[in-house]
Amino acid sequence: MAAVRLLIPVLLALAGGDATPRAHGDSFQEELLLSPLRSGDIAATFQFRTRLDSDLRQERVSHYRLFPKVLGQVISKYSIQELHLSFTQGFWRTRSWGQPLLQAPAGAELWVWFQESVQDVDKNWKELTNILSGIFCASLNFIDSTNTVTPTASFKPLGLANVTDHHLLRYATLPREIVCTENLTPWKKLLPCGSKVGLASLLEAERLYHSSYHSQSVHIRPVCRDAGCSAVSWELRQMLTVVFDMYTNGLGKRDWSLFKMFSRTVTEPCPLATQSKIYVDSGYDKDVEVPVHGDERVYALYDLLEPELFNTSRNLNVALKWKGGSDSGQPHPPVFHAERYVSGYGLQTGVINTMIYNNHPYRAFPVMFLETVPWYLRLYVHTLTIMTKGKENKPSYIHYVPAKDRQLPHLLEMLIQLPPNSITKISIQFERALLKWTEYPPDPNHGFYISPSVLSVLIPSVRNMKTDELEGSPLFSTIFPSSDGSSYFMRLYTEPLLVNLPTPDFSMPYNVICLTCTVVAVGYGSFYNLLTRTFQVEDNKKGGLAMKIANIIRRLRGVAPL
């Protein structure tokens, strides 16, 4: 008993010393950005940042406090340098909603940088996709060599890395992936506080999927632990962006609130969070100025860690009442956006067209264009044309990897200079292949999805400003690495394409089977029944017609007549 009594205070002391995450350097931050859009929609961007103050590349971590253990083990086992995974439902309408903070393509997207110590990258990539498929309840196990590429100039590391060998990079998309609550539930379980308290308590699946756009992502990368970068930490950044059509649901009114959007309010911050804030892009409150997309934006700030914020009520419901007035016309077009479509007729050939818009009045800038096309669309590379203002625009860099039937997709990368106030059209012809009947999906007449194009660009800033990734900076301003201030980085995606292929009549085998079974059942069944049935005559004296038919059948069978 004395030993037990002595052990209890020791355990309590150890537990008390481990209660505060700052004691061990690990930290967790949560943030919500509310942005009213000119189209009447409301964009809500959640960001949750978990930092592990240990270098998973050099040391073995046996105990995890805030960082998810399952992801830490995956990073260590498969020697991952960076991992970026997203699940998206819908398409971000850049022309109506403006430039996004971090866009993701429709469906599922995964790109991973492996460490230089990896010997067989393809083996690690295949095993990693299977592991992530089980963690996030997704169809990532369908990623194979037919939809995986190795870009040479796109998807550079976003974290602290000196990796330059592009052979360590793998990129794949599943544009037909359906996002549902099965993907959201494991995503929320990665948070230190789960979805019970904090900003994550607003993430109700019924409201999130009743929206115009929904995207959830996971980004893992090594970052500097301090300003001098004396040590390396690992950052897990979970982002969720949802767009609500409050203008239509509000019967023409642009009023909105947290309760209207999520059917609940914020009751308390996550007790493990060192930062819990809500930013509102109201346009008139000047609590804080943040550089976003090369310009200073003004936001109203609500710090959930301030005690006086929950003094009067345990519920925080941020709301905006629209006082009326008219909008100042249509939304101004963004500085940079793109769109893509398929032209042509018939089921033999077609043309993939990509339109890239540079709406800057006097600045030209280059764009890195990435195109991934499945093998069953056979590209005619000699028909590639790039036209700007009626003239041919020759790319300064081009990298093309041809496809192999049932093995590799097409990969096309180009660096194109966009003149100011211009529209650049990229066109390439293709021919549709005829697949084997076992290679068609369950609904072949729906069509085949083609991965969207990826455009990486450094857009000139309106003001010359430098964004440093400091501990107190908003999370939405530190998504991409800081630059010199004269430009800002952006990655945009076009729409996924839906292409029809020559499809055989899969209903013909069904019709043949039905007809054959009917003939066998009616014809042969009746004949076999007559040959095997035994007839009994009720009246031996007056057999009549029945006895005559029975005797005929008995003679055919070699049996003595009745």
Side-chain angles (χ1 to χ4, degrees), residues 112 478 533:
V112 178
T478 59
R533 177 178 297 179

mmCIF file with all atom_site columns, all heavy atoms in Angstrom, residues 112 478 533:
data_model
loop_
_atom_site.group_PDB
_atom_site.id
_atom_site.type_symbol
_atom_site.label_atom_id
_atom_site.label_alt_id
_atom_site.label_comp_id
_atom_site.label_asym_id
_atom_site.label_entity_id
_atom_site.label_seq_id
_atom_site.pdbx_PDB_ins_code
_atom_site.Cartn_x
_atom_site.Cartn_y
_atom_site.Cartn_z
_atom_site.occupancy
_atom_site.B_iso_or_equiv
_atom_site.pdbx_formal_charge
_atom_site.auth_seq_id
_atom_site.auth_comp_id
_atom_site.auth_asym_id
_atom_site.auth_atom_id
_atom_site.pdbx_PDB_model_num
ATOM 1  N N   . VAL A 1 112 ? 3.241   13.410  -53.729 1.00 0.00 ? 112 VAL A N   1
ATOM 2  C CA  . VAL A 1 112 ? 4.147   13.073  -52.636 1.00 0.00 ? 112 VAL A CA  1
ATOM 3  C C   . VAL A 1 112 ? 5.589   13.226  -53.114 1.00 0.00 ? 112 VAL A C   1
ATOM 4  O O   . VAL A 1 112 ? 5.935   12.790  -54.226 1.00 0.00 ? 112 VAL A O   1
ATOM 5  C CB  . VAL A 1 112 ? 3.914   11.628  -52.129 1.00 0.00 ? 112 VAL A CB  1
ATOM 6  C CG1 . VAL A 1 112 ? 4.896   11.282  -51.031 1.00 0.00 ? 112 VAL A CG1 1
ATOM 7  C CG2 . VAL A 1 112 ? 2.486   11.453  -51.648 1.00 0.00 ? 112 VAL A CG2 1
ATOM 8  N N   . THR A 1 478 ? -0.127  32.073  -44.917 1.00 0.00 ? 478 THR A N   1
ATOM 9  C CA  . THR A 1 478 ? 1.149   31.349  -44.930 1.00 0.00 ? 478 THR A CA  1
ATOM 10 C C   . THR A 1 478 ? 1.005   29.971  -45.560 1.00 0.00 ? 478 THR A C   1
ATOM 11 O O   . THR A 1 478 ? 1.677   29.028  -45.163 1.00 0.00 ? 478 THR A O   1
ATOM 12 C CB  . THR A 1 478 ? 1.692   31.206  -43.495 1.00 0.00 ? 478 THR A CB  1
ATOM 13 O OG1 . THR A 1 478 ? 0.737   30.494  -42.694 1.00 0.00 ? 478 THR A OG1 1
ATOM 14 C CG2 . THR A 1 478 ? 1.955   32.567  -42.877 1.00 0.00 ? 478 THR A CG2 1
ATOM 15 N N   . ARG A 1 533 ? -43.029 -37.961 -68.946 1.00 0.00 ? 533 ARG A N   1
ATOM 16 C CA  . ARG A 1 533 ? -44.230 -38.097 -68.127 1.00 0.00 ? 533 ARG A CA  1
ATOM 17 C C   . ARG A 1 533 ? -44.881 -39.465 -68.376 1.00 0.00 ? 533 ARG A C   1
ATOM 18 O O   . ARG A 1 533 ? -44.935 -39.944 -69.504 1.00 0.00 ? 533 ARG A O   1
ATOM 19 C CB  . ARG A 1 533 ? -45.212 -36.972 -68.445 1.00 0.00 ? 533 ARG A CB  1
ATOM 20 C CG  . ARG A 1 533 ? -46.530 -37.067 -67.694 1.00 0.00 ? 533 ARG A CG  1
ATOM 21 C CD  . ARG A 1 533 ? -47.434 -35.894 -68.012 1.00 0.00 ? 533 ARG A CD  1
ATOM 22 N NE  . ARG A 1 533 ? -46.835 -34.637 -67.574 1.00 0.00 ? 533 ARG A NE  1
ATOM 23 C CZ  . ARG A 1 533 ? -47.419 -33.450 -67.756 1.00 0.00 ? 533 ARG A CZ  1
ATOM 24 N NH1 . ARG A 1 533 ? -48.578 -33.392 -68.396 1.00 0.00 ? 533 ARG A NH1 1
ATOM 25 N NH2 . ARG A 1 533 ? -46.828 -32.373 -67.328 1.00 0.00 ? 533 ARG A NH2 1
#
